[in-house]
Each structure stands twice: as structure tokens, then as C-alpha cells.
Amino acid sequence: MKQKQAWQVMACAALAAAVFGFGCTTPRPPRAPVQLDINEVDHTPFGSAEIKQCAAEMGPKILMVPEIARAAETTRIVVQPLRNSSTIMMDTRMITDALKDELMAVSNGKVRFVTSEDREIAQSNMIVREKLEVARDRMLDEVAESILQSPLIANAAKPPVIAVTPALNANFVGLNANSFIAMLRAKIAGRANGKAFFTAPGSLEGADYYLTGEFIAESMKQEGMINLVDYIYLVEERVKAGQSMDVYDSTDTTVSTDAAGTVILTKERRQSLLTEIERSAQLRVEPNVNKFLNVMLIKADNKIAVMEKMFSLDAKLTRGLDRVEYTLTGNIASQSRYVQGYEEIYVVVTFKLIAPETKEEIWGGRYETKKAIQRGGVVY
Amino acid sequence: MKKAYRHGLLAALAAGMMVAAGCSTTYSVDRVNTGGEDSLVFVRPDRYSLLGTRSLRDHIEITYETLTYDQATGYAVVRVGVRNRGGQHFWDRRGRDFNLAAQAAFYNQPVAMIPPQPGASFPSDAKGRQEGGGPGVSTPPVYQAARKTFALPRGQTQHLEFICPIQNVSGYQVVFSEY
């Protein structure tokens, strides 16, 4: 009996040791990842193999389109994402990106793509802006140098006195008009070495020349107003002179006056006008146009511009679509049949190149595949 | 005794050599001379049967093979007709359907013996094979098309087209395999 109990105790001890031992087992590390062949056809409806095949087939065909093959210069294409009318849940950019890669790799510069991604365009425009700012500073140096090198200054019997006057059309939104002229003055003064002198800011006393400028915008749109104080003064002067409050109105129609003959421009009306200007969308949105500053040196006595120099202040920021010759777009469609856990799927990817001016489809390509793929679990 | 001693010494030497060989860090790899390879090749079959092989050559034949150059671009265009002729042996008269993959690689020098002339196509021989004996593949390809996969049921012909979007290629090789 005792022997039997001893056996039972030993068995329990062995079992406990085994359980304890299992508890101490170090968990197995995961299997090493396996690199798969991206060219292998798999159970994805439109997988890596199909994407690569599609790009490899369509790429050379696009390059053989006569309009592109015979083009003397680089053809620029913008890609519009494919429309996905298939049952496949996928990012169609995988297809167009593969096609772009293929074309970029083999076209040898014959084809270029213009991005249509807002994020990339914004980043590009930011770089352009920074470059313009650097160029603007450099340009001020050049203008200052050219003014000092002009015969009027360089060959003058005595150092001319220059007065700075506010720039004309100083009403661009987002640009501090007079700061450019002030910067130019500082640049000239820094290099003058006694060749020229400036009057005190705001004084025209004893000046031989006026340094001023005119802002020019490449736009057909009416310019916004930024110098609100000047604008109000202008409005008041027009009103006092019996003209309309619209500074762009040249009809000179009289405005109504009260019984004493005083012009009716009440404090409230003045305030509402101010608010109207402040709220104007035209004022708050910087006009996206090419902006230039024409610097002028004007002779004080006869008001003749003896020297002019125009430089670019700001360039119109575009999406780069002006040089695009074709739009590449298309569609992906599919048709499925389910048979005993398999899905037979027929996928068609169509591409087309569209000329924006004529809306003509200059080329159409088609890649199609049909395969049976095993579906695990619930089939939707 | 002396003989036994000698045998023991030799055995120890052999064992030492084997151990030394096993400790080697690097080994040479096999290199193949592709001279004489055809412009169209089937790779070794992946399945063997009791009678013969199930090689692609037993079932697949080439109906035509042309190389032309696009006039506008100068791109090489290889067109190949691949036909599944079914079983050709008494033990396999039926044959089977194939899922094939074909991949073309283009070279600056000819692979097969006869270099193709620009603008000309050269026909296959009666057996659908290019004449062998060419220099083979000795340089990397200037362009390799993506692997093209297709189904080839018995009796059907697949017309394949490979375009090389790089100019001045004069050689190519298309490799067929099952997948």
C-alpha cells in the first residue's frame, strides 16, 4: 500500500515537473521572413506581377505613339488617376506609378511627367518663392549698382542729392510697397562713397533727383488696395471735390450734399467703407500674378525719368500645366465568377492619352488578365 | 604492422583533408557557357514522369519568330508564336494545358548565330528554332521586359510581342518556363 502511494506521489511530482518545465519553455521565435518573387502570379486579383506586366507592356507602346515618337522636344504628360470601376479594392496609383517608372526609366528623357499632387506642388512653389526672395535681394544690389554707375551720377560735377518718394501703384496686397524703395535707398547709400547723397526721409528739399518706382502687375484684374489710410484720404478728397466715392470712377458725377453744402460722408459711412475694404476678398487674397517693380530716377525740376530699371518682385505660381501636352488616364474594371471557393476574375485596365486642346484620344491601350484565385473565408 | 600503420596514416590524412576542405570559407560557383544558345529557350522541366520528361519541348512549339525595328523609334520588336501541340507520345497523346511565363531580355550583341538586320525579320527554321551556334549571352541585358504570364490550352497559339524601348539592340533571348 505504501509502495502504491509512493508511486502516486512520484507520478504527481513528475507531472508537476513536466508542467513546470513547459511553463519555463522559451517561446519560439517567429519564422524568418521569406522574400517572395514580385513577378510571381499570386492570389491577389491584380497583384505585383500584373502591375509590372501592365507597366512593361504599356510603357513602350506609349513611347511608340507617333505624336510622341516624332516629337522634337520632350513630351510632358500629366497623370490623372485611373478610375476604379472594378470590384478590386486597390490604390490605382500603384498602376500609374509603375507605368511612370517604366517610362521614366526607358524613355531617355523623351517623356516627362508633371505632378498633379497638391502637396508636391505646394512644396515646389515654396521653393520657388524662396528662390525669388533671394533673387530679389540680388536684383536690388544690381539696380543700386547700375544707378551709381549711370553717367548721371558717376560723371556728375558734384554729388547729386536724391530724395525718395513713394512708389506709384503701391497697392499690391501682401507687398510693402515703400519698403523696396527704402531698401534700394539703403543699398545705394551703402555703395555711394560720397558719389550721391540722400535727403531726410519725407523731405524733398534741395533734391536733384527723385528716386521712385512703379509697381506693375501682369493682370487684367483690378488691383486691390492695401494702403487704407491713403485710400480713405483719396475717397475723402474725391467726395470733397464733388466726385463719386469710387476711385476707379472717372465720370466725376457729383455726390449729394446737405443743406449747408457739406459733403455727406458721415463717421458711420466712413467706418462702413473701411470695413468694406478690410473684408474685401480682393484685399485678403494675394493676387497670383507676375509682379514687377520699375525703379525710376526722376529729375526734380522737369519730372523727366532719366533712368529706369525694371525687376521682377514675384512670379506667378502655376501648377506647371501650361507645358503639358497630354493627359494620361484610364480605367480599371473587373468581372467575377465564384466557383467552389475560387473566384474567376477578369480584369481589364484601359489607358488613354488625351490632348487637352482638342480633347482627342491620341492613343488607347488595354491590358487584360483572367485568373482563378482561391478565396479563403467569407467571400463578399 | 607497418602496413597497418601506413593505412592509418593515409586515413588520417584523408580525414584531415576533408576537414580542411569543409572549413573553407568560399567556394567557386559553377559558370555556364551560353555559347550556342538559341534566342528562344525553354528552361528545364520542373516535373519528371516515368516515361520521358514533361519538358515544355514535348508539348510546345514555336510557329514563328520575328525581329523587326519600329521605323519611328528604332525600337526592337520581337514577335513569337507559341503553340501547344498537345501530347506527341504513345504514353501521352492528350497533353495538357499550360500556364507559361515568358521573359525577354535584349542585348547589344546577338545571342543566336545570325545577327538580325535592322528593318528585317528572319524566319524560323522548319522546327521553329533559330539556328544555334551563336555567341550566347555574355553581357548583361540592356533591357529586360517584365515576365509575361499566359495560359496556353491545348491546340491554342499565343502571339507574344516584346518591345525593347531602347535603340540599337541586336540580340535578344526569350526564356519560357512554367509557373
Side-chain angles (χ1 to χ4, degrees), chain A residues 37 53 56-57 64 69 102 106, chain B residues 70 73 143 146-149 165:
Chain A
D37 180 9
Q53 282 182 42
E57 280 190 31
M64 287 167 74
E102 175 77 14
V106 300
Chain B
D70 182 62
T73 57
Y143 177 74
R147 203 182 297 165
K148 195 174 284 200
T149 54

Side-chain angles (χ1 to χ4, degrees), chain A residues 356-374:
Chain A
E357 289 84 7
T358 59
K359 314 293 182 292
E360 286 175 336
E361 292 181 16
I362 65 154
W363 171 81
R366 179 187 184 89
Y367 175 82
E368 51 191 358
T369 180
K370 185 177 182 179
K371 62 181 179 179
I373 54 177
Q374 196 168 12

Side-chain angles (χ1 to χ4, degrees), chain B residues 37-146:
Chain B
E37 274 193 7
D38 199 352
S39 52
L40 304 179
V41 289
F42 293 151
V43 295
R44 215 174 268 259
D46 59 350
R47 284 185 287 269
Y48 293 88
S49 60
L50 193 62
L51 289 170
T53 68
R54 301 182 73 179
S55 166
L56 285 175
R57 276 182 70 172
D58 281 358
H59 304 89
I60 307 295
E61 59 189 7
I62 302 297
T63 54
Y64 62 90
E65 175 193 5
T66 62
L67 169 67
T68 53
Y69 291 89
D70 182 62
Q71 287 191 339
T73 57
Y75 295 163
V77 182
V78 171
R79 293 188 177 91
V80 180
V82 191
R83 184 162 63 194
N84 184 349
R85 59 185 171 188
Q88 298 291 314
H89 307 287
F90 72 89
W91 63 83
D92 178 19
R93 298 178 66 85
R94 185 175 168 79
R96 62 191 176 93
D97 299 344
F98 282 94
N99 276 324
L100 292 181
Q103 188 163 32
F106 293 85
Y107 300 89
N108 273 330
Q109 59 185 46
V111 173
M113 195 170 72
I114 308 163
Q117 297 299 314
S121 67
F122 59 111
S124 309
D125 64 6
K127 290 182 178 177
R129 295 194 296 267
Q130 281 296 309
E131 198 172 336
V137 177
S138 56
T139 55
V142 291
Y143 177 74
Q144 187 171 36

